[in-house]
Amino acid sequence: MLPWSWNSVIAMALTTHPAPISNSLEISEVFEMNAGNGQKSGPYVVTLTELQAAKLEQLLKEKGNWQARTIPHARFSFSGDGVQCTYYGKKGRLVIQGKKTEDFVRYILEPQITGEARYGYEQEWAKIENAEMFQPHAGLDESGKGDVFGPLVTACCYVREETAEQLLRAGIMDCKRIQSQQRLFELEDACRSILGREAISIVRLRNPSYNRFYARVRNVNVLLAWAHGKALENLRERIPECRDALLDKFTVNESMVARYFPPTQQCRLRQRVRAEEDIAVAAASICARAEFIRVLTEMEEHYSMAFPKGAGPAVATALADFVQRFGTAELEQVCKLHFRTVQRILNGDASPQDDEAPGTSESQ
């Protein structure tokens, strides 16, 4: 039972299907749930408005049994009553964890701060606020665009209403929010179990192919558009009834991207910023990142050295080490040659510097 009488409010919302409720809690920001059994695991994550965050901070300050903590990049953090509560102001995310998380959410956060009863009703709220997510469609995302080492991977996942609900219950979320590789691979297994092989399409461009392709087009976004289009094409060969696709938007040049996709009359293409809030795109992000890490691990085993993710100073150091051990000619086998970090190494400057990457690297 809820601690106050919002059961009827939720029931009414599900019956009348009002316009999406604005604001404070994004359905994509819910906590993880173990597949099939509805048990919560991991932290509970919600998005708060500035006003709600300020109200919560003041409330916890006034409670005598809550201790303030200093957490890197957090605006505030408190610990007490078996719960750790941390707010990251840049993205407005509140992270709650601890054995009494449910009590904190039900009896403090929801009734006193957000005014919305969502705990345990995540799927119902999703159907209210994002009904389109449960319609048959494909979601597309990529991994490796901002990583010097390793391949570029695109993934396309097709969902129907039933499988979308199952993915949501399994805790599928944007891969950038997943804290460990073990959890990433667990969620990838869940995606594959729920969707089946025919509903997942993966395109991987290992470094030699990537570098040859880039040398022809000289544009990362063209290369990425082609890879996404190919992933959707391969999926539609198995599921021709797929007539709607949602792509995590990576460029303002939507018309260029659309040229690499099927005609609109065959399959509608939607390009959306933060599309990973959609369950199909979130599944694609997990499958793409898992495949990226799998290939990177194979490379590390082959060369007996670590290949850092991203494009920062650690990457420049690893590049210099790689060249010393294997020579510059071998670089095309392990990295994306157009990155400035690589170009500096090729030009004899081995000093570690941050690269101006062609995209944002996922932190995984």
Side-chain angles (χ1 to χ4, degrees):
M1 293 294 293
L2 294 173
W4 74 102
S5 58
W6 272 44
N7 302 66
S8 58
V9 175
I10 293 175
M12 183 180 297
L14 292 172
T15 302
T16 58
H17 295 282
I21 299 172
S22 64
N23 73 26
S24 58
L25 300 178
E26 301 173 12
I27 190 61
S28 65
E29 305 299 335
V30 299
F31 50 85
E32 300 176 29
M33 302 179 73
N34 291 328
N37 61 16
Q39 295 298 311
K40 287 78 175 174
S41 66
Y44 180 78
V45 184
V46 298
T47 301
L48 300 183
T49 66
E50 287 289 332
L51 183 62
Q52 290 169 337
K55 185 178 179 181
L56 177 62
E57 182 178 16
Q58 185 61 36
L59 177 66
L60 296 180
K61 283 181 179 178
E62 293 173 353
K63 287 181 174 291
N65 56 341
W66 287 80
Q67 298 296 318
R69 306 187 304 162
T70 300
I71 301 295
H73 311 297
R75 182 178 300 180
F76 64 80
S77 180
F78 290 87
S79 176
D81 288 341
V83 174
Q84 292 82 46
C85 179
T86 304
Y87 179 70
Y88 298 91
K90 186 176 180 179
K91 293 188 176 181
R93 287 178 178 170
L94 178 70
V95 180
I96 308 162
Q97 52 191 341
K99 62 183 180 181
K100 293 190 177 180
T101 291
E102 181 173 354
D103 288 347
F104 179 84
V105 174
R106 287 186 180 274
Y107 297 101
I108 295 178
L109 181 67
E110 291 183 342
Q112 300 184 50
I113 305 299
T114 69
E116 293 182 342
R118 292 176 175 253
Y119 196 92
Y121 290 87
E122 288 74 28
Q123 188 165 313
E124 289 81 354
W125 280 111
K127 287 189 173 182
I128 295 172
E129 299 180 336
N130 196 357
E132 194 173 34
M133 181 170 75
F134 295 89
Q135 299 301 311
H137 69 286
L140 299 107
D141 205 354
E142 77 278 343
S143 184
K145 178 183 177 183
D147 295 281
V148 173
F149 289 113
L152 175 71
V153 180
T154 61
C156 181
C157 294
Y158 182 75
V159 302
R160 301 174 176 85
E161 180 178 5
E162 179 181 359
T163 54
E165 293 174 353
Q166 292 172 353
L167 290 173
L168 187 64
R169 287 196 297 269
I172 301 305
M173 66 185 72
D174 176 21
C175 73
K176 290 185 287 296
R177 293 179 50 223
I178 301 171
Q179 299 300 310
S180 71
Q181 286 188 192
Q182 179 181 348
R183 183 59 176 155
L184 177 71
F185 286 118
E186 289 172 354
L187 292 176
E188 183 202 24
D189 287 343
C191 290
R192 294 188 178 280
S193 175
I194 292 168
L195 297 177
R197 294 183 63 181
E198 70 169 11
I200 300 176
S201 171
I202 303 289
V203 170
R204 64 190 68 77
L205 282 173
R206 294 177 183 264
N207 294 110
S209 298
Y210 180 99
N211 290 321
R212 288 194 297 270
F213 199 147
Y214 183 85
R216 293 200 303 268
V217 301
R218 310 297 298 180
N219 188 307
V220 173
N221 288 332
V222 169
L223 193 157
L224 188 55
W226 175 87
H228 277 305
K230 187 65 176 176
L232 179 61
E233 177 187 341
N234 292 344
L235 183 133
R236 292 188 73 248
E237 288 179 357
R238 301 192 294 266
I239 308 178
E241 64 269 25
C242 173
R243 298 187 176 277
D244 187 21
L246 177 60
L247 172 66
D248 191 26
K249 187 174 180 178
F250 57 87
T251 176
V252 296
N253 193 350
E254 295 188 15
S255 60
M256 179 277 292
V257 174
R259 288 200 297 269
Y260 294 89
F261 282 78
T264 302
Q265 61 267 29
Q266 295 182 15
C267 183
R268 178 181 67 149
L269 173 65
R270 294 173 288 140
Q271 301 178 55
R272 181 190 303 166
V273 176
R274 295 185 66 185
E276 64 275 2
E277 295 175 4
D278 177 270
I279 197 69
V281 178
S285 78
I286 288 172
C287 292
R289 194 57 177 174
E291 182 63 19
F292 171 84
I293 291 177
R294 194 174 289 115
V295 174
L296 193 68
T297 301
E298 292 174 2
M299 291 167 46
E300 291 177 331
E301 292 173 352
H302 178 76
Y303 289 98
S304 298
M305 68 172 289
F307 293 120
K309 303 177 186 69
V315 169
T317 301
L319 282 167
D321 181 38
F322 183 88
V323 169
Q324 186 176 21
R325 294 173 59 185
F326 302 102
T328 56
E330 192 73 7
L331 280 174
E332 68 173 2
Q333 301 293 323
V334 299
C335 67
K336 303 174 181 75
L337 295 179
H338 62 82
F339 272 77
R340 290 195 175 114
T341 300
V342 182
Q343 292 300 312
R344 285 194 290 265
I345 296 294
L346 293 175
N347 293 331
D349 180 7
S351 59
Q353 300 178 47
D354 285 330
D355 204 325
E356 295 180 21
T360 302
S361 169
E362 303 95 330
S363 58
Q364 189 54 245

